[in-house]
Every structure is written in C-alpha cells, then in structure tokens.
Amino acid sequence: MRRGQAVLGVFSCMHFLVDAACAFAMYGVFREKDAWYWYLLLYNFCAFALQMPLGVVLDGLCRGKGTEEKYRCSVGFAVFGVVLIFLGGFTHVTVLGLGNALFHVGGGVGTIWTSEREDRVCTRLGVFVAPGALGLFLGKMWSQSVSEVGIVLAGALVLLSLGGVLLWLGRGKYLEEHGSRISGKGRPVYGRSMMAVCCFLVVLLRSYVGMSAAFPWNKTVLMGVLCTAAVAGGKAAGGFFADRIGISRTAVISLILAAGMYGLGGFWGTGLLALLFFNMTMPLTLYLMWKEMREQPGLAFGTLTFALFLGFLPVYFQTVPPMDPRLTGSLGSLLSLLLFAGVMRRKGESDGSVSG
C-alpha cells in the first residue's frame, strides 16, 4: 500500500473515532445536564466556529516549511485534539469542542499535504470527511449502552496509537517528493474571489437543509443507519466523481438529481437518494476553497466549518418557520446549483485541475 493511502486510511479511522467519542460525550454525559440546550450550542461553536482561528494558527506554523514539516504540524494538531478530548472532554464541553476542532483542522490539512497528485485531492477529501457521519451516529447509539469508563480508555488507547502511526508514516523523504506536486501559491488572504463566497454560501445552505429537512419516515434505527450511510456515501462519491468527470459536471448532475429526489422524498428510497446526491458537494467546496487559498488550507477549512455553524443557528433557535422537508431540500439544492453556476463561469476554475 502506498504511504499516502495509508495516511488517508489512518486519518479517516481517526475521524470516525473522534466524532464517535464526541457524540458519545454529548449524548451520554452532557445530555443529562440541566443546561443541555446551551451545552449543545457551546459545543457546536467550539467544534465548528473555532476551526477558523485555529486554522490560521496552523497555517502560520506551516508557513515557509517543507511538506514533511507541514505534515508533522498537522498531525500534531490532530493528536493534540485527541488528547484534549480524552483528558477533559468528558467533563468540560468547551474542551470537547476544542479538541474536535483541533483534530478536524489538523486531519483535513494533513490529508491535503499528503496528496500525491492534485487530481486526487477531491477523492481524498471525500474519503476523509465521510466517516464523520458514521461516527456521530454510532457514538450517539453507543451512549445509550456502553460504559463511559470503557469507551474513554479504549478510545484514547486506539486514537493515540493511530496518531503514532501517522508520525511514523511521515518519516523520510516521501512527503517532500510527492507533496510538492500540489504546492503552489494561492490568492492573497485578503481580496478573495467570488468563488470563496459561493462555496461559503453552498456550505451554509447544506448545513441548514441537513438540519431542517427531516423526513417523516426516518423514525427507526434501521432508517437512521440508512440515512447515515447515504450521507457518508455521498461525501465519498462526490470526491471520486469530481476527480474523474470534473467538478462542474459532478455539481450539476448531483444537485439536479438531489432537487428531484427531495421533491419525491415522501418515499424512503428517493429520500435516501436525495441525501446521497445532496452531500456530494461536500468535498467539492473544500477543494475549491483550498484552491483559492493554497498556502492557507487551515483557513480554507475553518471558513467552511464556520458556515456550517451559521447554518445550524436558524434551526437551533427556530427563527425560520418550518417547511415541508421536500420543499426545503429541493429549494436548497437548486439554490446551491445557482451558486455553483456562478463559480463555474470562471474560466478554468471548474475542471482545470481535475481529470475528465
């Protein structure tokens, strides 16, 4: 197995376990607290909104360094996040959220720096983000039946061991030889193009639709498993197809299909397809934002996770009147398509870096 593939596999496994541990803590420990409503808000703020300043810090540490040093900084962030989660995350919700943010920034940036070719970055990003949905679902399920002490000890041991594997995989000149293939200057930190704005709004919409468009048939554990698999599968498939048929084709096809399937979402089969197609844009927006900020991947990740947090707020505070999930999903898909259309009009931006 190539070392880059091994790194991606370890990062993805860690993503699954970190999100599972965080979900376990939130629903198995903090759910019983009187201030649960505010705990959940505080956790989401720390886990998502704080990724932007943490990403800026990571970018600063990586500035001017070689690919191997950048990779080690990223792994250091990810491992430090894991340490925080298991040292204080089960007693302090802010520590839990901060640990989650550190891991995601480090893991996401490390995934980019270990890509061997730019026309595989979308695939790698899709594979990295996909296990998070599975981890969140299973962590919530485990919180109802698994001992807290057991999950903390087992999770800490496995995750720290995986962190050691990541450092071992980063040895030698491999990263310097392969990581340089995707290096290059991005745009200045200030003066971003409209692409960054469009990506931000697409992610905000995806967050809002994901939170508000709950299908009435999703009431059983089996349906929950299938919905989670559809979300995770969509994220992985989006990166795979973007690298093979192009970002613009993937976005247009997936969002048109998502709009149609959401409209027919009263049936569980079409509803699952809607979730799959709608989530295919996840790695696309990550890639396009990074392309604008090649030397600031931490900021690129953090900006989009801040959009996730903003999309969560209207649903959490119930500031928007509830709508039929079929209408919400269809409109969200079509609006996302319009935003992508604005990006695609930029000559060479849509498919210039992907095969097909």
Side-chain angles (χ1 to χ4, degrees):
M1 179 185 291
R2 284 181 168 273
R3 199 181 301 180
Q5 293 174 320
V7 169
L8 177 61
V10 175
F11 268 135
S12 300
C13 290
M14 291 182 75
H15 190 186
F16 168 81
L17 293 170
V18 164
D19 279 5
C22 289
F24 181 90
M26 289 304 299
Y27 290 94
V29 179
F30 296 108
R31 185 63 184 265
E32 304 302 321
K33 307 291 185 182
D34 294 335
W36 158 252
Y37 181 84
W38 299 109
Y39 277 165
L40 185 59
L41 177 64
L42 181 59
Y43 168 77
N44 278 285
F45 172 80
C46 294
F48 295 99
L50 289 187
Q51 285 192 45
M52 185 157 54
L54 290 172
V56 172
V57 173
L58 179 56
D59 292 337
L61 293 173
C62 292
R63 187 172 295 116
K65 292 181 169 57
T67 305
E68 184 176 354
E69 292 173 297
K70 291 176 180 178
Y71 170 75
R72 290 186 180 276
C73 286
S74 302
V75 172
F77 255 57
V79 174
F80 183 47
V82 169
V83 171
L84 284 183
I85 289 172
F86 288 99
L87 282 183
F90 286 76
T91 54
H92 298 85
V93 71
T94 53
V95 176
L96 184 73
L98 181 60
N100 184 289
L102 282 164
F103 170 79
H104 281 80
V105 170
V109 172
T111 296
I112 287 177
W113 290 133
T114 53
S115 296
E116 297 176 8
R117 294 161 50 187
E118 188 169 326
D119 64 358
R120 294 294 180 266
V121 173
C122 271
T123 298
R124 291 177 64 85
L125 288 173
V127 172
F128 171 71
V129 299
L134 301 174
L136 289 172
F137 179 79
L138 290 179
K140 187 176 179 180
M141 296 291 295
W142 289 340
S143 69
Q144 303 171 11
S145 58
V146 180
S147 165
E148 178 182 337
V149 175
I151 198 74
V152 170
L153 293 177
L157 179 62
V158 172
L159 280 165
L160 290 176
S161 298
L162 290 174
V165 171
L166 284 175
L167 291 173
W168 179 77
L169 288 170
R171 73 197 188 285
K173 297 181 179 180
Y174 174 84
L175 295 177
E176 295 296 342
E177 294 170 354
H178 295 278
S180 59
R181 300 180 185 179
I182 64 162
S183 63
K185 296 294 182 182
R187 301 176 188 273
V189 175
Y190 301 101
R192 302 298 184 195
S193 73
M194 283 302 295
M195 180 181 290
V197 176
C198 290
C199 288
F200 184 90
L201 293 176
V202 168
V203 174
L204 191 152
L205 274 172
R206 186 170 61 241
S207 175
Y208 174 76
V209 172
M211 290 287 296
S212 59
F215 293 113
W217 44 260
N218 185 14
K219 300 295 184 183
T220 66
V221 174
L222 175 60
M223 286 295 105
V225 170
L226 292 177
C227 285
T228 303
V231 171
K235 293 175 180 179
F240 177 85
F241 282 109
D243 282 337
R244 282 152 183 81
I245 67 173
I247 289 177
S248 61
R249 295 187 187 95
T250 301
V252 170
I253 294 172
S254 65
L255 289 172
I256 289 176
L257 289 173
M261 293 299 101
Y262 265 118
L264 302 172
F267 172 61
W268 67 269
T270 50
L272 291 174
L273 288 175
L275 292 174
L276 186 146
F277 290 129
F278 189 65
N279 281 277
M280 286 177 67
T281 60
M282 177 73 156
L284 278 60
T285 50
L286 287 172
Y287 172 82
L288 290 172
M289 184 67 87
W290 165 71
K291 193 172 181 180
E292 291 292 291
M293 312 177 184
R294 285 181 181 270
E295 292 302 312
Q296 297 90 30
L299 176 60
F301 268 76
T303 301
L304 294 185
T305 56
F306 185 67
L308 286 174
F309 177 71
L310 293 182
F312 151 84
L313 292 178
V315 181
Y316 191 72
F317 289 113
Q318 299 180 352
T319 57
V320 179
M323 293 192 299
D324 188 307
R326 294 171 296 181
L327 179 61
T328 301
S330 295
L331 287 177
S333 300
L334 294 175
L335 286 173
S336 297
L337 180 59
L338 289 176
L339 290 168
F340 266 110
V343 170
M344 294 168 200
R345 284 186 300 184
R346 292 170 53 92
K347 185 178 180 180
E349 293 285 7
S350 59
D351 294 304
S353 61
V354 292
S355 60

